[in-house]
Amino acid sequence: MRTALALVLLALGACAAFWPALSAGFVNWDDPEAIADNAQLRGVTWEHVRWMFTTCHTGPYQPLSWLTLALDGVGEASGAPSAARVHATSIALHIATAMALFFVARKLFRGVASEHTHTERAALFAAALFAIHPLRCESVVWATERRDVLYGLFTVLTLGAWLRWAASEKARITRRVGAREWGSALALAALCIAAFVATTQRPSGGELRFAFAPLGLVVVGAAFVALSVLCGRGATRWYGLALVAFAAALLAKGAGMTLAAVLLVLDVWPLKRERDWRGLVFEKLPFAVLGVVFGVLAMWGQAALPEALASWSDHTLVERMAQAFYGLAFYPLKTFAPVGLSPIYELPEEISFRAASFASSALAVVVVLGASIALRKRSPAPLVALSSFALLV
């Protein structure tokens, strides 16, 4: 009963926060090109689906996001997805993500709490904070950002399936991975990536082309399945579901490409999986391969846009480091103090550690990280949270 009540409260809270979006239209910021005027979203025929899975239109590679937007237009008189239906679907996906996050948070809290008295309330608080936080506004309300809510849902589902896998009997068995298994796995991983690169050509006019299709794609798929079975020790249900959910997340948006590293962090704590670290890395190889493949697709998609990626001469290594430190401080600050929000935060003319904003951000990150490392034995939670956040950002 308490779980059902928690889910109802999450749904009501998210609806109260985002219900006004149902009366909003599209905005003149990517929405016309991506959705309102996009003829490729006027149906779900084979030609439409083929376009979705081969295009980097507007930059990102996001076939699953295109597919859900096209489904929003099914039944509409014009065949095009209406703003109201797009917003309704995004809100529904956001509510589903908050509910899934409740179960994931509860599982994590139960793994570290000495008693389970307050884990339900703690999980509800975490999921509710996510559900109604002002920073979710862009992802939920901006129609073009369908990729965010869809990627978020499947990322949380990946974590949920992984937690179930980590608790399974096969995952608990301590077994050293031999050199033969490592060699086979690395060979299969290399074959997956090499076959993908050889088969897939960079977007020309925003469209991917396949040199040896369908043979090349069959080789990639067969090698990946073999790798997954080998690394998953038979690819049990939860391990397989975690991989499927992760692939779906990447098909919605490539932002989760580093999730394999986050899973390793969670293995150390709070899961406390007492295994040889090489065995833990071995399990993550299929996730890493997916991350590499979709990372390449994401880079190709952005590179196809004029001036989307700055060169090393335009944006030096030191400037990139300064911007990285700034981002690591900026997002937590806006999370805890969501004031002065804007649709876009433009880069200043000078990106340098000499500037107060960049210097203070770097100092804050170093101080907080140092304190988390110093306190890791007494309380590992801050270091785990910061590490996972930094890996994803």
Side-chain angles (χ1 to χ4, degrees):
M1 178 62 74
R2 287 183 300 176
T3 299
L5 178 60
L7 297 179
V8 170
L9 290 175
L10 284 173
L12 291 176
C15 281
F18 294 106
W19 195 262
L22 293 178
S23 60
F26 293 122
V27 296
N28 191 24
W29 198 347
D30 291 349
D31 284 355
E33 182 182 3
I35 303 173
D37 301 331
N38 188 352
Q40 298 294 345
L41 300 184
R42 304 291 197 273
V44 287
T45 65
W46 166 247
E47 285 302 315
H48 291 104
V49 174
R50 188 199 66 80
W51 175 86
M52 296 170 193
F53 278 83
T54 57
T55 188
C56 290
H57 181 62
T58 71
Y61 180 73
Q62 50 176 18
L64 197 58
S65 298
W66 293 126
L67 181 59
T68 63
L69 288 168
L71 290 173
D72 284 336
V74 174
E76 296 281 357
S78 65
S82 66
R85 186 175 290 187
V86 170
H87 291 315
T89 302
S90 292
I91 293 172
L93 288 169
H94 179 63
I95 292 173
T97 306
M99 290 179 173
L101 182 60
F102 167 79
F103 290 105
V104 170
R106 187 176 65 176
K107 183 76 172 175
L108 289 172
F109 288 143
R110 286 180 175 177
V112 299
S114 56
E115 55 184 56
H116 295 170
T117 308
H118 303 298
T119 54
E120 199 96 2
R121 276 175 281 182
L124 176 59
F125 175 79
L129 184 63
F130 168 82
I132 65 174
H133 199 284
L135 289 186
R136 303 284 75 76
C137 186
E138 178 181 337
S139 299
V140 180
V141 178
W142 185 15
T144 295
E145 284 303 292
R146 166 62 59 80
R147 51 184 173 250
D148 261 15
V149 288
L150 198 59
Y151 144 77
L153 174 60
F154 283 109
T155 298
V156 175
L157 292 177
T158 301
L159 291 174
W162 183 258
L163 293 177
R164 295 294 297 267
W165 153 256
S168 68
E169 183 178 354
K170 276 196 172 186
R172 288 196 299 267
I173 296 175
T174 301
R175 180 175 65 87
R176 186 179 296 275
V177 179
R180 180 178 297 178
E181 289 176 301
W182 264 108
S184 300
L186 291 176
L188 287 170
L191 177 59
C192 285
I193 296 172
F196 163 77
V197 173
T199 300
T200 312
Q201 298 178 357
R202 296 183 64 165
S204 175
E207 184 177 353
L208 293 171
R209 299 185 182 277
F210 301 99
F212 305 105
L215 178 60
L217 297 178
V218 170
V219 171
V220 173
F224 183 76
V225 169
L227 175 66
S228 302
V229 172
L230 176 61
C231 295
R233 282 165 284 167
T236 58
R237 179 178 58 175
W238 291 112
Y239 185 90
L241 286 175
L243 272 175
V244 171
F246 184 48
L250 293 173
L251 286 168
K253 184 177 182 178
M257 64 184 76
T258 55
L259 190 63
V262 176
L263 297 180
L264 273 175
V265 172
L266 295 179
D267 279 341
V268 177
W269 194 89
L271 299 180
K272 300 177 183 177
R273 298 180 65 197
E274 300 296 333
R275 287 192 58 192
D276 178 72
W277 68 268
R278 287 167 293 188
L280 298 177
V281 173
F282 185 77
E283 293 175 347
K284 311 301 186 301
L285 284 179
F287 294 88
V289 167
L290 285 176
V292 169
V293 167
F294 281 91
V296 170
L297 287 172
M299 182 180 66
W300 283 353
Q302 292 300 312
L305 295 177
E307 301 181 358
L309 297 180
S311 66
W312 286 99
S313 59
D314 295 331
H315 206 44
T316 65
L317 176 61
V318 174
E319 289 175 333
R320 292 167 192 261
M321 291 175 61
Q323 186 180 350
F325 274 112
Y326 183 83
L328 290 173
F330 176 85
Y331 291 111
L333 178 62
K334 289 299 182 183
T335 297
F336 290 107
V339 294
L341 301 179
S342 172
I344 188 171
Y345 303 90
E346 295 185 351
L347 291 175
E349 291 184 4
E350 181 186 9
I351 303 175
S352 170
F353 285 112
R354 294 189 299 270
S357 58
F358 291 101
S360 59
S361 297
L363 179 62
V365 170
V366 171
V367 169
V368 172
L369 179 60
S372 301
I373 293 174
L375 297 173
R376 68 187 184 281
K377 291 185 178 180
R378 179 182 300 179
S379 179
L383 182 59
V384 168
L386 289 171
S387 301
S388 300
F389 164 73
L391 287 167
L392 289 172
V393 169

